[in-house]
PDB file of all heavy atoms in Angstrom:
ATOM      1  N   TYR A  44      25.888  11.153  10.046  1.00 91.00           N
ATOM      2  CA  TYR A  44      25.514  10.057  10.986  1.00 91.00           C
ATOM      3  C   TYR A  44      24.487   8.996  10.351  1.00 91.00           C
ATOM      4  O   TYR A  44      24.116   8.086  10.980  1.00 91.00           O
ATOM      5  CB  TYR A  44      24.846  10.577  12.319  1.00 91.00           C
ATOM      6  CG  TYR A  44      25.932  11.365  13.120  1.00 91.00           C
ATOM      7  CD1 TYR A  44      26.040  12.748  12.964  1.00 91.00           C
ATOM      8  CD2 TYR A  44      26.649  10.676  14.095  1.00 91.00           C
ATOM      9  CE1 TYR A  44      26.914  13.425  13.771  1.00 91.00           C
ATOM     10  CE2 TYR A  44      27.522  11.357  14.844  1.00 91.00           C
ATOM     11  CZ  TYR A  44      27.630  12.713  14.708  1.00 91.00           C
ATOM     12  OH  TYR A  44      28.560  13.389  15.478  1.00 91.00           O
ATOM     13  N   MET A  45      24.099   9.257   9.025  1.00 91.00           N
ATOM     14  CA  MET A  45      23.157   8.384   8.478  1.00 91.00           C
ATOM     15  C   MET A  45      23.842   7.339   7.497  1.00 91.00           C
ATOM     16  O   MET A  45      24.877   7.683   6.967  1.00 91.00           O
ATOM     17  CB  MET A  45      22.157   9.256   7.604  1.00 91.00           C
ATOM     18  CG  MET A  45      21.103   9.922   8.352  1.00 91.00           C
ATOM     19  SD  MET A  45      20.035  10.806   7.262  1.00 91.00           S
ATOM     20  CE  MET A  45      18.777  11.200   8.371  1.00 91.00           C
ATOM     21  N   LYS A  46      23.176   6.222   7.310  1.00 92.00           N
ATOM     22  CA  LYS A  46      23.610   5.318   6.310  1.00 92.00           C
ATOM     23  C   LYS A  46      22.729   5.499   5.081  1.00 92.00           C
ATOM     24  O   LYS A  46      21.702   6.152   5.085  1.00 92.00           O
ATOM     25  CB  LYS A  46      23.290   3.823   6.860  1.00 92.00           C
ATOM     26  CG  LYS A  46      24.333   3.415   7.968  1.00 92.00           C
ATOM     27  CD  LYS A  46      24.078   2.011   8.409  1.00 92.00           C
ATOM     28  CE  LYS A  46      25.018   1.721   9.519  1.00 92.00           C
ATOM     29  NZ  LYS A  46      24.662   0.495  10.305  1.00 92.00           N
ATOM     30  N   GLN A  47      23.158   4.902   4.029  1.00 90.00           N
ATOM     31  CA  GLN A  47      22.336   5.008   2.759  1.00 90.00           C
ATOM     32  C   GLN A  47      21.132   3.968   2.956  1.00 90.00           C
ATOM     33  O   GLN A  47      21.253   3.055   3.663  1.00 90.00           O
ATOM     34  CB  GLN A  47      23.162   4.563   1.572  1.00 90.00           C
ATOM     35  CG  GLN A  47      24.354   5.546   1.267  1.00 90.00           C
ATOM     36  CD  GLN A  47      23.853   6.962   0.820  1.00 90.00           C
ATOM     37  OE1 GLN A  47      22.668   7.257   0.953  1.00 90.00           O
ATOM     38  NE2 GLN A  47      24.751   7.689   0.207  1.00 90.00           N
ATOM     39  N   PRO A  48      20.012   4.277   2.235  1.00 88.00           N
ATOM     40  CA  PRO A  48      19.746   5.335   1.281  1.00 88.00           C
ATOM     41  C   PRO A  48      19.354   6.555   1.887  1.00 88.00           C
ATOM     42  O   PRO A  48      19.148   7.566   1.166  1.00 88.00           O
ATOM     43  CB  PRO A  48      18.583   4.704   0.440  1.00 88.00           C
ATOM     44  CG  PRO A  48      17.870   3.995   1.458  1.00 88.00           C
ATOM     45  CD  PRO A  48      18.793   3.362   2.376  1.00 88.00           C
ATOM     46  N   TRP A  49      19.267   6.615   3.204  1.00 88.00           N
ATOM     47  CA  TRP A  49      18.666   7.803   3.898  1.00 88.00           C
ATOM     48  C   TRP A  49      19.543   9.062   3.732  1.00 88.00           C
ATOM     49  O   TRP A  49      19.038  10.128   3.582  1.00 88.00           O
ATOM     50  CB  TRP A  49      18.397   7.502   5.381  1.00 88.00           C
ATOM     51  CG  TRP A  49      17.779   6.154   5.566  1.00 88.00           C
ATOM     52  CD1 TRP A  49      18.308   5.084   6.208  1.00 88.00           C
ATOM     53  CD2 TRP A  49      16.521   5.676   4.929  1.00 88.00           C
ATOM     54  NE1 TRP A  49      17.421   4.022   6.145  1.00 88.00           N
ATOM     55  CE2 TRP A  49      16.383   4.350   5.386  1.00 88.00           C
ATOM     56  CE3 TRP A  49      15.614   6.257   4.076  1.00 88.00           C
ATOM     57  CZ2 TRP A  49      15.307   3.602   4.960  1.00 88.00           C
ATOM     58  CZ3 TRP A  49      14.479   5.488   3.710  1.00 88.00           C
ATOM     59  CH2 TRP A  49      14.307   4.215   4.140  1.00 88.00           C
ATOM     60  N   LYS A  50      20.816   8.739   3.745  1.00 88.00           N
ATOM     61  CA  LYS A  50      21.830   9.881   3.689  1.00 88.00           C
ATOM     62  C   LYS A  50      21.554  10.677   2.413  1.00 88.00           C
ATOM     63  O   LYS A  50      21.490  11.912   2.339  1.00 88.00           O
ATOM     64  CB  LYS A  50      23.184   9.263   3.606  1.00 88.00           C
ATOM     65  CG  LYS A  50      24.366  10.218   3.699  1.00 88.00           C
ATOM     66  CD  LYS A  50      25.673   9.454   3.900  1.00 88.00           C
ATOM     67  CE  LYS A  50      26.761  10.341   4.430  1.00 88.00           C
ATOM     68  NZ  LYS A  50      27.883   9.494   4.955  1.00 88.00           N
ATOM     69  N   ASP A  51      21.381   9.928   1.239  1.00 84.00           N
ATOM     70  CA  ASP A  51      21.220  10.640  -0.064  1.00 84.00           C
ATOM     71  C   ASP A  51      19.736  11.397  -0.073  1.00 84.00           C
ATOM     72  O   ASP A  51      19.734  12.347  -0.719  1.00 84.00           O
ATOM     73  CB  ASP A  51      21.215   9.703  -1.240  1.00 84.00           C
ATOM     74  CG  ASP A  51      22.628   9.415  -1.622  1.00 84.00           C
ATOM     75  OD1 ASP A  51      23.595  10.036  -1.119  1.00 84.00           O
ATOM     76  OD2 ASP A  51      22.913   8.520  -2.531  1.00 84.00           O
TER      77      ASP A  51
END
Side-chain angles (χ1 to χ4, degrees):
Chain A
Y44 290 93
M45 281 182 170
K46 289 183 182 159
Q47 295 293 17
W49 317 119
K50 192 174 194 161
D51 277 355

